[in-house]
């Protein structure tokens, strides 16, 4: 999700830095390229998303994401009353089980033991992990239409986050092994498809699902004039 305030702060900072140069007759400094990758303390940042530059740390996070998808898909079988949502949950279970099998097999070939819950590398990641856990806890206690709304909303947000992680890793690790590069390419194709399916289903939920939070599904009719 893009946040306008940091952009305004950055713009103000750039303006303040360039003003003395303009007054002295020197050209303004060009803005930084949008597609550059910055690396700091083992974390790469690209277009607002982050990914670890260490291979095991990256695999830990992809493994964790797969496991979360599988658990959420299982909950969809148990707590949704919508056949389409149940079917989508089953698809996510099957797809992410296959993805995780490839990932864990690759990790074993490298002698790596993956962590079920990666240790957060910064405050933003810690917050994201806490939010994901809270969502999973919520999914475990609600059912029916409220479950469908929270589940599909979290699927859209979760797949956005994984796609950002994958794209950042692809940019930050150009010399990744052929096996890892192939897995990242596979994810870059499957994750947007999963995200689009969740988004489409979310838009089809009824007005009682609580999606959006901007008011009723149908606006009230105007009162007749006396």
């Amino acid at each position: 999700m893009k946040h306008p305030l940091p952009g305004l702060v950055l713009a103000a900072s750039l303006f303040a830095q360039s003003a003395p140069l303009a007054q002295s007759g020197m050209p303004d400094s060009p803005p930084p390229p949008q597609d550059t990758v910055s690396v700091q303390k083992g974390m790469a940042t690209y277009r607002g998303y982050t990914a670890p530059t260490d291979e095991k740390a990256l695999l830990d996070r992809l493994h964790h994401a797969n496991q979360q998808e599988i658990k959420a898909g299982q909950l969809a079988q148990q707590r949704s009353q919508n056949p389409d949502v149940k079917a989508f949950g089953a698809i996510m279970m099957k797809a992410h089980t296959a993805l995780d099998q490839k990932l864990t097999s690759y990790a074993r070939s490298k002698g790596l033991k993956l962590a079920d819950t990666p240790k957060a590398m910064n405050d933003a990641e810690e917050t994201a992990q806490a939010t994901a856990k809270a969502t999973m806890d919520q999914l475990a206690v609600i059912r029916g239409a409220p479950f469908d709304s929270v589940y599909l909303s979290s699927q859209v947000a979760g797949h956005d986050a994984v796609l950002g992680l994958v794209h950042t890793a692809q940019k930050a690790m150009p010399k990744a092994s052929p096996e890892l590069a192939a897995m990242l390419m596979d994810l870059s194709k499957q994750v947007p498809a999963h995200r689009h399916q969740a988004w489409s289903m979310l838009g089809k939920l009824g007005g009682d699902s609580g999606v959006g939070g901007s008011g009723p599904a149908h606006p009230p009719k105007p009162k007749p004039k006396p």
Side-chain angles (χ1 to χ4, degrees):
M1 180 182 295
K2 296 182 178 179
H3 302 282
L5 184 56
L8 293 175
V9 174
L10 175 60
S13 176
L14 290 173
F15 176 79
Q17 294 173 16
S18 63
L21 297 177
Q23 293 173 0
S24 63
M26 297 177 64
D28 294 346
S29 300
Q34 295 297 313
D35 287 340
T36 57
V37 179
S38 62
V39 179
Q40 186 177 12
K41 295 182 179 180
M43 292 290 285
T45 302
Y46 174 68
R47 292 187 174 182
Y49 291 97
T50 60
T53 55
D54 176 73
E55 183 180 61
K56 182 184 181 301
L58 174 64
L59 294 175
D60 283 340
R61 281 149 183 79
L62 293 175
H63 173 60
H64 178 69
N66 285 330
Q67 292 298 309
Q68 293 295 99
E69 286 294 333
I70 294 168
K71 291 177 182 177
Q74 291 172 339
L75 288 173
Q77 309 306 303
Q78 302 166 5
R79 311 198 70 82
S80 176
Q81 298 171 353
N82 185 321
D84 292 335
V85 174
K86 286 178 176 286
F88 176 74
I91 292 172
M92 291 301 98
M93 288 173 58
K94 182 178 179 180
H96 285 276
T97 296
L99 288 167
D100 205 48
Q101 287 175 346
K102 291 181 181 179
L103 189 148
T104 53
S105 177
Y106 171 74
R108 283 194 299 268
S109 72
K110 304 279 287 187
L112 302 174
K113 183 178 180 180
L114 301 182
D116 290 333
T117 303
K119 183 178 179 180
M121 297 181 68
N122 53 35
D123 292 342
E125 191 173 34
E126 184 176 0
T127 299
Q129 289 180 357
T131 301
K133 183 181 183 304
T135 299
M136 193 66 71
D137 291 343
Q138 183 182 14
L139 290 175
V141 297
I142 58 178
R143 62 175 63 249
F147 175 92
D148 298 340
S149 176
V150 175
Y151 173 61
L152 293 176
S153 297
S154 67
Q155 286 292 296
V156 173
H159 282 90
D160 277 342
V162 172
L163 189 59
L165 174 69
V166 169
H167 283 170
T168 303
Q170 287 177 313
K171 288 288 185 178
M173 304 172 67
K175 296 182 180 180
S177 67
E179 295 87 353
L180 178 57
M183 283 191 292
L184 292 175
M185 181 60 67
D186 190 21
L187 282 167
S188 71
K189 295 177 181 178
Q190 289 200 47
V191 172
H194 295 168
R195 191 261 189 205
H196 177 73
Q197 190 173 358
W199 174 258
S200 298
M201 295 181 64
L202 185 62
K204 295 177 182 178
L205 293 181
D208 294 335
S209 64
V211 176
S214 58
H218 303 285
K221 295 181 180 180
K223 296 180 180 180
K225 294 182 179 180

